Amino acid sequence: MKIKIKIKNNFLETQMHNHIKTILSLSPVMPVLTINKIDKIDPLFEALIEGNLKIVEITLRTNCALEAIETVSYKYPTLKIGAGTVLNEKDLKAVKDAGADFAVSPGSTNKLARKAVEMDFPFLPGVSNSSEIMNLLDLGYKSFKFFPAQAAGGLDYVKSLNGPFPEIMFCPTGGINQTNAIDWLSLKNVVCVGGSWIVPSEINDYKKITSLALSASKLVDLV
């Protein structure tokens, strides 16, 4: 019985890894969004779609975050919706029930990482050092959010991780902007980057958001 359970878990781990890697590969940049008002969702997401971005992260930092995830997941099925700032099992279940395609956390615990495997729910756990990577490798994870990217060591540190962890891919987030995003994407162990520069905190210029999104979507052609 234990052997069957282990085989099942290994299958789920591999399946989940392949799923999250496929999602992250859809766009070179994943906008990190903090939604404060539901009434601004339509023009915002229409601007992002027009800008040819296919993945977004909606953080659980506001009271309307879950409602935003549910609304966007239903109205804009061409987008892959990630739920960010997932801190515990309760958050994980809530974002899955709301319709998110995957979850993102700033860090991780074994309990949370195991629960995502049990739920067969794509999960991008946050790491900032080798020990955290090794811990999650034991659970089958091979794709990580590297956070906070600049403060945790920057480009040189992530580049150095390719030596001991050649199969690992990162989505660095934190301190990444329109100017330095291309430098991060040039690293062979970076699949995409996350950032908030595409959608400023005060959302009022949707043409600018589309322009920034288009520029971001074309970064992959410059690598």
Side-chain angles (χ1 to χ4, degrees), residues 136-178:
L136 289 164
L137 272 174
D138 286 341
L139 300 179
Y141 286 88
K142 295 182 181 179
S143 295
F144 305 102
K145 171 178 178 173
F146 184 74
F147 177 82
Q150 291 286 62
L155 287 158
D156 289 341
Y157 185 64
V158 172
K159 183 178 181 180
S160 71
L161 291 173
N162 189 64
F165 306 111
E167 296 181 359
I168 298 305
M169 299 300 292
F170 297 100
C171 171
T173 306
I176 298 176
N177 53 50
Q178 187 176 12

Side-chain angles (χ1 to χ4, degrees), residues 38-201:
I38 294 295
D39 61 0
K40 292 187 176 183
I41 278 184
D42 287 337
L44 170 58
F45 281 87
E46 286 165 8
L48 291 172
I49 291 172
E50 190 175 347
N52 202 35
L53 290 181
K54 296 176 171 52
I55 53 175
V56 299
E57 175 187 335
I58 299 176
T59 65
L60 296 184
R61 298 179 187 176
T62 63
N63 292 332
C64 65
L66 285 174
E67 183 182 355
I69 291 169
E70 185 173 9
T71 301
V72 173
S73 299
Y74 176 76
K75 296 186 73 172
Y76 303 102
T78 59
L79 282 175
K80 292 296 183 181
I81 309 300
T85 325
V86 171
L87 303 179
N88 50 52
E89 293 181 52
K90 181 180 177 181
D91 289 344
L92 195 67
K93 184 179 186 305
V95 300
K96 184 176 183 181
D97 290 346
D101 295 293
F102 63 104
V104 186
S105 66
S108 188
T109 63
N110 277 7
K111 187 176 181 181
L112 181 59
R114 288 182 186 279
K115 188 63 176 179
V117 174
E118 289 174 14
M119 292 170 61
D120 192 20
F121 187 46
F123 177 46
L124 185 68
V127 297
S128 61
N129 59 57
S130 299
S131 295
E132 292 170 353
I133 293 170
M134 290 172 65
N135 190 43
L136 289 164
L137 272 174
D138 286 341
L139 300 179
Y141 286 88
K142 295 182 181 179
S143 295
F144 305 102
K145 171 178 178 173
F146 184 74
F147 177 82
Q150 291 286 62
L155 287 158
D156 289 341
Y157 185 64
V158 172
K159 183 178 181 180
S160 71
L161 291 173
N162 189 64
F165 306 111
E167 296 181 359
I168 298 305
M169 299 300 292
F170 297 100
C171 171
T173 306
I176 298 176
N177 53 50
Q178 187 176 12
T179 302
N180 63 19
I182 187 65
D183 297 324
W184 287 94
L185 291 167
S186 297
L187 300 181
K188 62 182 179 180
N189 56 347
V190 169
V191 62
C192 71
V193 298
S196 58
W197 81 88
I198 294 173
V199 181
S201 56

